[in-house]
Amino acid sequence: MTAHHDKSDRTPATGPADATTTGPSAGPSAATAPAVGPTPHTAPETASRAAPAQGGGTGIPRQRGTGRGSGGPGPGGGGPAREGTVLNVFSHGFLALWALLIVLPLIWLVLSSFKTDGQIAGSAFGWPSNWSLDVFGRAWDKGIGDYFLNTVIVLVFSVPLTMLFGSMAAYVLARYRFAGNRIIYYFFVAGAMFPVFLALVPLFFMVKMLGMLNTYQGLILVYVAYSLPFTVFFMHAFFRTLPTAVFEAAILDGASHSRAFFQVMLPMAKPGLISVGIFNTLGQWNQFLLPTVLMQPQKGGDPERYVLTQGLIQLQQQQGYETDLPVLFAGVTIAMIPMLVVYLSFQRQVQAGLTSATLK
């Protein structure tokens, strides 16, 4: 009984299993398998299924879609890969068109600075015949130099003050919990959505009561107040992503809250500071409405402290009578070049600052 039990236990392992693994090429094992195992028909069926696999693979049923192209389902091998290619072509084409719409006017503006009045009137899109830089000197002497200096004086103080006050307010609102925290934050957010046109009249009288009309300090304070809401909104989201463990380690080492902010947390927020600083510089450099209201001479003896945007309007009015259009184009080019240099120099930092808060 014991020997018969052992033989029956060994029969399935040596019968159908061997035939399945070896197939017709096994020879004697395939022939003896029906005599040993209890199911003689199993080995021929298994062998018949395995034999075509070695001959050419046509006998094994394929899974649906595996015999087609790598692109997935579809008669042409399309699918997600093809849709992604179409989307990339569309997005790159749109970006290329957008770049042309921005770059071509800038190139036309710079080339027009080297033309004469006759060339501009005859062929606006023609190539200049004279590449002299004298027109830029004439534009500088006609007031662009003074307007440029006034703008630089204002921005040297307004942008750092905006960054300082905005980052301090955003840090406190993002890292500390106290009564009225969210109310103050939403107050800044509402200030970012408030149109400046609605505040021109009360702003004018407020600055007039302070005696700061047509002064650098008056325009600086208004620029700081105007740029604070966006700065707080941007830096608030950035400060929330900074690790708390670093701040706690600084406090445990004996640093005060102000020292931890200026020496630990603020350097960690450098990408965000550069990004929002570039946006503030561009916005204040190109600001026209606020200087037009606040930087007008109030008396006959008051000096003209026009910034670049005001100065270009004045230059346009002058050249309308003098018919010296290349000077106007040269003045616009002078006003445009510093911002292009600043943006291109810090392009990577701006992209890193805009994406770092999301990636963290």
Side-chain angles (χ1 to χ4, degrees), residues 77-165:
R82 187 175 182 180
E83 294 178 359
T85 303
V86 174
L87 181 61
N88 289 334
V89 171
F90 176 77
S91 60
H92 284 74
F94 177 76
L95 292 176
L97 179 61
W98 190 10
L100 288 176
L101 293 177
I102 295 175
V103 172
L104 289 181
L106 298 181
I107 296 176
W108 175 80
L109 178 66
V110 175
L111 293 179
S112 298
S113 303
F114 296 94
K115 297 180 181 179
T116 62
D117 289 324
Q119 290 178 340
I120 294 176
S123 177
F125 298 98
W127 199 257
S129 59
N130 184 17
W131 294 93
S132 176
L133 298 176
D134 295 339
V135 64
F136 293 94
R138 298 203 312 269
W140 191 269
D141 294 336
K142 286 183 177 294
I144 292 296
D146 296 332
Y147 307 146
F148 191 93
L149 180 61
N150 294 336
T151 306
V152 170
I153 291 175
V154 173
L155 262 67
V156 162
F157 293 96
S158 62
V159 173
L161 289 176
T162 302
M163 301 306 301
L164 176 63
F165 295 147

Side-chain angles (χ1 to χ4, degrees), residues 230-273:
F230 172 75
T231 304
V232 171
F233 175 75
F234 187 93
M235 294 304 299
H236 180 272
F238 197 89
F239 278 123
R240 289 176 64 93
T241 63
L242 298 182
T244 308
V246 180
F247 172 77
E248 294 176 350
I251 296 299
L252 291 176
D253 289 340
S256 61
H257 289 274
S258 59
R259 185 177 180 181
F261 169 71
F262 285 106
Q263 296 186 1
V264 178
M265 306 303 288
L266 199 60
M268 294 175 61
K270 182 180 178 181
L273 290 172

Side-chain angles (χ1 to χ4, degrees), residues 21 57 111 141 147 149 190 199 260 296 329 349-350:
T21 56
L111 293 179
D141 294 336
Y147 307 146
L149 180 61
Q296 296 290 343
F329 287 113
Q349 288 81 356
V350 171

Side-chain angles (χ1 to χ4, degrees), residues 331-345:
V332 176
T333 304
I334 293 174
M336 176 186 64
I337 288 177
M339 293 299 100
L340 286 178
V341 172
V342 170
Y343 183 78
L344 294 177
S345 300

